[in-house]
Amino acid sequence: MCGILALILADPSSHAAIELHEALFSLQHRGQDAAGIVTCAPGGRLYMHKKNGIVAEVFNDGAMLEGIPGSMGIGHLRYPTAGSSANAEAQPFYVNSPYGICLAHNGNLINAPELKQYLDFESHRHINTNSDSELMLNVFADELSETKKARVNTQDIFNSLGRTYERCQGAWACTSMLTGFGVLGFRDAYGIRPLVLGSRSSEHGTDYMLASESVALDLLGFNIIRDVLPGEAVVIEKGKAPVFRQVSPRKSYTPDIFEYVYFARPESVIDGLGVYPIRQRMGQRLAARVREAWGPEIIDEIDVVVPVPETASVAAPIVAAALNKPYCRAFVRNTYIFRTFIMPNQKSRQKGVRRKMNAIKSEFKDKTVLLVDDSIVRGTTSRGAIAMARDAGAKNIYVASCAPEIRYAHIYGIDLASPKEMAAYDRDNAAICEDLGADRFVFQTLDDLTEACAEVAKSEGFSEPQTFEVGVFCGRYVTPVPAGYFDHLEEIRGKSRPLKALETARQLMA
């Protein structure tokens, strides 16, 4: 789960980095491991600044922006996947040949070992990091070099992307910039990772922006044109309107359902579906599930419904209203602490839970509390919330999860955890309760979760998407998975842990 951006301004004397910087703040929830911006100034010179850290740290509260001129550029926020979190893997990536290409990537290539071998032995391109994003950039660059032209056109770019899709497997949404030419965006043939295009009128013409979520467009006054569709690319040449092209046959339209469950901001619209109304529907479905699983006698015991901050705050009041129970935001969230889920190691996640929220003791004392959480991955946040509720004097603690049990790896750009680290791995409901310290636990069903999303599509009059990528819940993935891939994933996780620990130690000493 990364955040990507591309911006091209009609005024050639304008400063794209300033607006890219603002937009990165709106997507900070998608990655807090590293941030970067690259721009292209008149004359074709590129200016880049990137490193590990959150946006404010990387750009020194905006002080670095003066050194990043140019009217077009791309931006990236990194959430570390199974690879290293070294500074070298901060994005965007750049290759000078051909034409000077930069790329920002959100997703994961599941045939990375084969691509690396191809680039080494056939294309003779050196790969400097463990990032599959660098692999994709070099595959694209290699295909683009086949034109043998001094300058490329839009059709050349589409043709090269089509051949890139034939080599790459997995999920991706990418923004890219060709030096002096323009910017482009493209999305995998299954539509797993999101990408949306917007426009804004100015006195010099029309500005265009690509982003992972519509909230970035809203912040800067852009209007949504439309989502980039599965297998589709869009090229925006300097001074010209966007050109869309299907560069690979669409294989499905299956957005990652975890965008709606957890990743995206509630005010975002992804693939035409509002995240907020979907989370409301999830609350309605969860209330029905609680009634079915526990019955009226257990529900009568509940004194108050409390959300586990922050994502569950949309669904929890819907659950409370449906069960005719009081609702209280009895956990106070520290807004200066970022998401613990995307912190680089378990120790920092555990410390982060205590830092990010605290309990209002009077709302828990001597009460049976129903905690509503968006999902349970490792259980770090839920375990911490349950312990705080106990410490505050709660009599009984029941927990309802808006998502089903997560027992399988996420292979499309979000390193949730090794399956063995997951709270629901090889555990039934009673064992999950014991492990997390709750008195009762109920999970939403997968059918109800997917239907909550599909209902919003139907209510908006959309025929699609109606199906979603849900492999983390059931182990059935929308793309083919190469033999031995999960062993490869565990191997690179094992190699990356010491590197991440070393990087964390360096940051603490800095």
Side-chain angles (χ1 to χ4, degrees):
M1 178 186 69
C2 296
I4 61 171
L5 298 162
L7 177 65
I8 185 164
L9 301 173
D11 180 5
S13 65
S14 58
H15 202 161
I18 293 174
E19 297 201 76
L20 285 168
H21 179 251
E22 285 296 314
L24 286 175
F25 275 109
S26 71
L27 298 180
Q28 183 74 84
H29 60 287
R30 298 188 69 87
Q32 59 196 58
D33 195 56
I37 290 173
V38 60
T39 59
C40 182
R45 183 171 176 181
L46 297 175
Y47 294 84
M48 181 185 294
H49 184 76
K50 61 177 184 173
K51 67 175 184 177
N52 281 7
I54 60 174
V55 175
E57 295 170 346
V58 170
F59 295 98
N60 194 18
D61 291 324
M64 306 298 299
L65 299 176
E66 282 299 315
I68 318 174
S71 60
M72 64 178 178
I74 63 176
H76 188 269
L77 289 157
R78 185 181 67 192
Y79 157 74
T81 56
S84 162
S85 59
N87 262 307
E89 295 191 2
Q91 297 188 39
F93 281 116
Y94 163 73
V95 290
N96 70 331
S97 176
Y99 316 116
I101 310 170
C102 304
L103 180 119
H105 170 241
N106 173 30
N108 190 46
L109 301 181
I110 58 177
N111 65 331
E114 292 85 352
L115 290 175
K116 191 167 186 177
Q117 186 172 25
Y118 162 75
L119 290 167
D120 186 8
F121 290 98
E122 296 187 43
S123 298
H124 311 301
R125 284 181 170 269
H126 174 68
I127 303 301
N128 198 50
T129 71
N130 293 323
S131 172
D132 59 348
S133 307
E134 189 185 11
L135 295 175
M136 174 158 252
L137 170 59
N138 276 273
V139 171
F140 176 43
D142 189 56
E143 296 297 342
L144 203 55
S145 69
E146 292 298 310
T147 63
K148 308 297 183 184
K149 292 182 177 180
R151 296 289 183 269
V152 291
N153 58 37
T154 297
Q155 188 57 51
D156 294 326
I157 294 170
F158 287 139
N159 291 342
S160 298
L161 282 172
R163 295 191 297 272
T164 300
Y165 277 53
E166 291 173 1
R167 294 198 180 276
C168 297
Q169 298 174 22
W172 58 82
C174 298
T175 54
S176 183
M177 180 171 64
L178 269 66
T179 304
F181 180 87
V183 299
L184 59 142
F186 51 97
R187 191 177 182 190
D188 67 80
Y190 300 86
I192 298 171
R193 301 260 63 85
L195 188 62
V196 63
L197 174 68
S199 66
R200 179 185 67 187
S201 297
S202 73
E203 59 181 304
H204 299 279
T206 304
D207 305 326
Y208 295 99
M209 186 176 190
L210 286 154
S212 296
E213 292 184 37
S214 64
V215 65
L217 305 180
D218 296 339
L219 174 70
L220 297 176
F222 283 77
N223 296 312
I224 294 174
I225 296 177
R226 69 175 179 86
D227 294 280
V228 179
L229 297 175
E232 191 176 52
V234 57
V235 173
I236 311 164
E237 192 175 349
K238 284 192 305 183
K240 297 184 180 181
V243 178
F244 288 88
R245 190 69 49 83
Q246 194 75 30
V247 295
S248 179
R250 183 194 295 195
K251 296 180 180 177
S252 66
Y253 197 169
T254 47
D256 187 346
I257 206 165
F258 235 67
E259 291 283 353
Y260 303 102
V261 171
Y262 177 81
F263 297 148
R265 280 176 49 161
E267 69 268 45
S268 285
V269 177
I270 295 177
D271 288 303
L273 310 184
V275 175
Y276 189 87
I278 283 178
R279 289 178 184 168
Q280 288 182 311
R281 300 276 180 136
M282 287 163 55
Q284 293 169 1
R285 294 268 177 168
L286 184 59
R289 173 69 180 139
V290 167
R291 286 198 199 94
E292 177 188 17
W294 292 345
E297 290 184 8
I298 300 301
I299 292 172
D300 284 345
E301 296 175 8
I302 298 170
D303 295 308
V304 64
V305 176
V306 175
V308 176
E310 183 65 31
T311 315
S313 297
V314 177
I318 304 297
V319 173
L323 298 179
N324 196 28
K325 297 293 179 180
Y327 169 74
C328 179
R329 298 191 67 159
F331 288 118
V332 179
R333 185 176 183 273
N334 182 348
T335 56
Y336 297 98
I337 298 296
F338 292 99
R339 285 179 153 178
T340 54
F341 163 76
I342 55 178
M343 287 180 175
N345 57 61
Q346 182 65 5
K347 189 173 182 179
S348 60
R349 283 188 289 269
Q350 289 170 340
K351 288 183 177 179
V353 171
R354 285 283 180 176
R355 291 178 188 147
K356 82 174 183 179
M357 65 181 181
N358 197 21
I360 302 174
K361 293 184 178 181
S362 60
E363 300 305 312
F364 289 98
K365 188 172 176 56
D366 298 326
K367 293 180 180 178
T368 294
V369 181
L370 173 59
L371 300 183
V372 176
D373 208 346
D374 57 85
S375 57
I376 314 293
V377 183
R378 297 174 183 87
T380 308
T381 298
S382 297
R383 192 178 288 109
I386 292 165
M388 286 183 209
R390 292 266 187 227
D391 292 345
K395 181 171 60 177
N396 294 298
I397 301 170
Y398 303 160
V399 182
S401 170
C402 294
E405 299 93 325
I406 298 171
R407 293 192 168 107
Y408 300 90
H410 195 296
I411 64 173
Y412 301 122
I414 305 98
D415 188 27
L416 290 178
S418 168
K420 292 180 181 179
E421 298 172 345
M422 294 175 179
Y425 178 78
D426 203 25
R427 290 189 178 101
D428 60 14
N429 194 286
I432 294 170
C433 271
E434 183 179 356
D435 179 58
L436 299 184
D439 297 296
R440 290 184 184 275
F441 227 109
V442 65
F443 288 89
Q444 182 67 279
T445 67
L446 183 54
D447 285 346
D448 278 347
L449 176 60
T450 54
E451 190 58 33
C453 297
E455 281 175 357
V456 172
K458 292 171 187 173
S459 70
E460 294 292 336
F462 300 143
S463 60
E464 54 185 0
Q466 290 291 316
T467 57
F468 302 86
E469 160 43 39
V470 295
V472 293
F473 303 116
C474 61
R476 298 187 297 274
Y477 302 95
V478 299
T479 69
V481 181
Y485 177 73
F486 294 104
D487 292 336
H488 166 72
L489 201 60
E490 288 302 311
E491 180 184 351
I492 60 176
R493 274 199 188 100
K495 289 180 179 178
S496 70
R497 284 189 184 105
L499 295 173
K500 291 181 179 180
L502 181 59
E503 187 65 31
T504 301
R506 285 173 178 162
Q507 291 172 6
L508 290 171
M509 294 176 67

